[in-house]
Amino acid sequence: MTGVHLPAVEKHREHLRKGFHAWPSLAYGLPPAMGDARWPAELILATWYQAANGEPPQNGLEYRKGKSGGGFDRLEFKYRLENSANASIENMDLSIPLNRRGTGKQIEIPVPWYGGGMSFGSVSEQVMLARLMAAQAWNTYTSTGEGGYPESLVRYKEHLITQIATGMFGVREETIQYAPIVEFKYAQGAKPGLGGHLLGDKTTLAVAKMRESVPWVSLFSPFPFHSVYSVEDHKKHVDWVKTIQPQALVSVKVSTPTDVDMVAVGSYYAGANIIHLDGSYGGTGAAPEIAKKTIAMPTELAIPKVHKYLLKEGIRDEVVVMASGGIRTADDIAKAIALGADGVVLGTADLVALSCTRCSNCERGRGCPFGLTTTDPELSLLLKAEEGAQQISNLYRSFAGQLRETLWRLELDSIRDLRGRTDLLVYGAR
């Protein structure tokens, strides 16, 4: 590969691998500058441990919650049983349907999550492949994000959600025809009302070609879709996709404004199969802090608001509600479902499993020290897709085991029985 010094890349990758396995052992203590309140150093290292071993750490690392002092970090379950050490929990059902309507393809996934959109340009092709390989291994899905569909992903198309965002970057008829699920991104929780933004530093030749744009120029996805100003316009979008790919399910990704319950009902009547609520805790370091912290509604407030309104309208069991925006742990997944979601969408957790340290340099072309949020041809080689897929798959295995234990301790047989069970939650002390 022209201009890439492969021995240097391999040497750097080896040092990163050693650190990935050494730090969770706590042999060197906690890194003093790692993480933030939602992703403190302990939680990052605990996620690394799970990505390496497929089970929670037993050395005292906190793997259930962060240190934000609010939200999911203050919610606790009112467990009925102490632990499942001597119980058989393998038969606990974690599967959820993705189509509750009486028509269209019936899709069920064996775990209550799939991967959220991270576009080519925001992350490397190797990251996209790693997430997609893990999704295939678990018979679930991940999303392209808004930046197009690299050719290397086509072989995994049965597990890939095609996203259509307001900028229409990389949207092609054939990729919609590939898709088992098409996702309209109307807004995202990390940047509600701002649209998408990829800085020129990350618009490399490969990214510009995929997005049919100009290299080294910043790209913006406007807010909103300027062809949609009513439920009727929204339905035209859904009908357009159904015309191109009649078998595809349609997901609608929205942020969480105060009237998100009305938005959800409108999406249902427009024909959506999945309503994807993206709360304010999500986003990488590329999202502005002021947007993440002050605009959208927190995820744990949006979920029950939508769940209750759909129940009131008598349509809750005809649409699937998936939640994202700060889902970091198995406990977060269970809490989101207890608040009223059917399942969750994972994003940053996948990146942390790949060794992300939350350093918040995602917006820079060569800012990511682990080669994750970059399309630089040299830095991208720091991650091997197959190794990354195994790490994400290991994290998923740990999550699945913890969810089964949670169900057992709550005396439930299925993750579907947990939906909307706010009576099992308590808002704890700081």
Side-chain angles (χ1 to χ4, degrees):
M1 187 179 292
T2 305
V4 174
H5 192 260
L6 292 177
V9 169
E10 190 57 43
K11 180 180 179 181
H12 191 51
R13 181 163 55 203
E14 182 61 28
H15 285 304
L16 292 175
R17 298 302 305 157
K18 288 180 179 178
F20 181 79
H21 290 280
W23 280 108
S25 71
L26 297 181
Y28 306 100
L30 289 173
M34 179 184 281
D36 50 49
R38 289 201 55 76
W39 278 96
E42 271 196 80
L43 187 55
I44 292 174
L45 296 186
T47 304
W48 287 8
Y49 182 92
Q50 292 172 85
N53 299 282
E55 61 184 12
Q58 303 299 320
N59 62 351
L61 279 174
E62 176 58 71
Y63 61 91
R64 296 183 183 277
K65 60 183 180 180
K67 296 181 178 179
S68 69
F72 289 123
D73 291 339
R74 285 188 66 184
L75 282 174
E76 302 286 350
F77 278 109
K78 294 185 284 187
Y79 291 115
R80 296 169 176 173
L81 300 172
E82 283 302 312
N83 62 66
S84 61
N86 299 315
S88 176
I89 62 173
E90 291 305 312
N91 293 329
M92 298 293 181
D93 182 13
L94 300 182
S95 67
I96 62 169
L98 294 182
N99 182 10
R100 290 183 174 276
R101 293 180 181 267
T103 59
K105 187 175 181 180
Q106 299 302 310
I107 296 178
E108 184 175 282
I109 52 177
V111 286
W113 67 75
Y114 58 71
M118 293 187 188
S119 65
F120 180 56
S122 70
V123 295
S124 72
E125 191 169 342
Q126 285 85 343
V127 169
M128 297 183 79
L129 278 169
R131 299 181 74 217
L132 192 44
M133 290 175 183
Q136 183 186 55
W138 282 83
N139 197 27
T140 183
Y141 298 89
T142 193
S143 172
T144 61
E146 68 169 310
Y149 205 119
E151 190 64 29
S152 61
L153 308 187
V154 174
R155 62 183 294 191
Y156 305 102
K157 63 186 180 182
E158 294 301 321
H159 298 275
L160 189 57
I161 299 168
T162 293
Q163 186 181 97
I164 301 173
T166 55
M168 298 288 185
F169 293 119
V171 175
R172 301 194 305 274
E173 187 171 305
E174 62 266 30
T175 61
I176 295 174
Q177 290 173 336
Y178 291 155
I181 303 172
V182 175
E183 177 180 83
F184 282 106
K185 188 187 82 170
Y186 282 83
Q188 62 192 89
K191 292 182 275 190
L194 302 179
H197 185 194
L198 189 72
L199 294 182
D201 194 29
K202 298 185 76 170
T203 312
T204 60
L205 293 172
V207 172
K209 181 179 179 181
M210 181 63 61
R211 296 192 180 213
E212 299 175 322
S213 183
V214 179
W216 315 118
V217 173
S218 294
L219 302 177
F220 294 87
S221 290
F223 177 84
F225 275 101
H226 288 298
S227 54
V228 177
Y229 292 97
S230 67
V231 174
E232 290 75 21
D233 292 340
H234 186 1
K235 188 175 187 306
K236 289 177 184 177
H237 266 189
V238 175
D239 291 344
W240 164 52
V241 164
K242 291 288 189 179
T243 300
I244 298 172
Q245 166 50 308
Q247 294 301 308
L249 302 187
V250 174
S251 171
V252 176
K253 180 179 179 179
V254 297
S255 62
T256 51
T258 55
D259 62 348
V260 65
D261 48 354
M262 299 294 293
V263 173
V265 170
S267 293
Y268 166 77
Y269 284 111
N273 303 98
I274 301 167
I275 298 168
H276 175 178
L277 305 175
D278 193 31
S280 63
Y281 298 137
T284 64
E289 286 295 308
I290 191 171
K292 289 194 285 187
K293 293 181 178 180
T294 61
I295 302 179
M297 187 187 300
T299 312
E300 76 277 1
L301 297 182
I303 296 170
K305 185 180 180 74
V306 168
H307 175 68
K308 291 174 184 176
Y309 199 71
L310 292 175
L311 282 173
K312 180 182 176 183
E313 291 290 303
I315 55 175
R316 181 61 188 90
D317 287 329
E318 297 179 44
V319 67
V320 174
V321 175
M322 301 293 284
S324 64
I327 307 295
R328 305 153 297 174
T329 67
D331 268 35
D332 286 352
I333 296 172
K335 291 169 187 175
I337 294 171
L339 287 170
D342 289 283
V344 303
V345 181
L346 300 177
T348 303
D350 286 357
L351 291 186
V352 175
L354 295 176
S355 65
C356 169
T357 60
R358 297 280 291 173
C359 69
S360 297
N361 282 327
C362 310
E363 81 283 359
R364 296 170 55 199
R366 290 182 59 87
C368 180
F370 290 87
L372 305 177
T373 59
T374 182
T375 49
D376 178 85
E378 189 170 45
L379 281 178
S380 296
L381 295 178
L382 293 176
L383 175 71
K384 292 182 178 179
E386 294 78 8
E387 289 181 3
Q390 186 60 57
Q391 288 169 212
I392 295 173
S393 189
N394 285 344
L395 179 66
Y396 288 0
R397 185 163 73 251
S398 181
F399 281 0
Q402 292 173 63
L403 285 173
R404 289 190 178 98
E405 179 171 359
T406 295
L407 291 176
W408 187 86
R409 294 180 66 187
L410 294 172
E411 296 186 303
L412 300 175
D413 295 323
S414 167
I415 199 73
R416 303 181 202 193
D417 296 335
L418 182 59
R419 192 189 78 183
R421 291 294 304 274
T422 53
D423 59 300
L424 298 175
L425 292 169
V426 60
Y427 205 51
R430 288 182 183 274

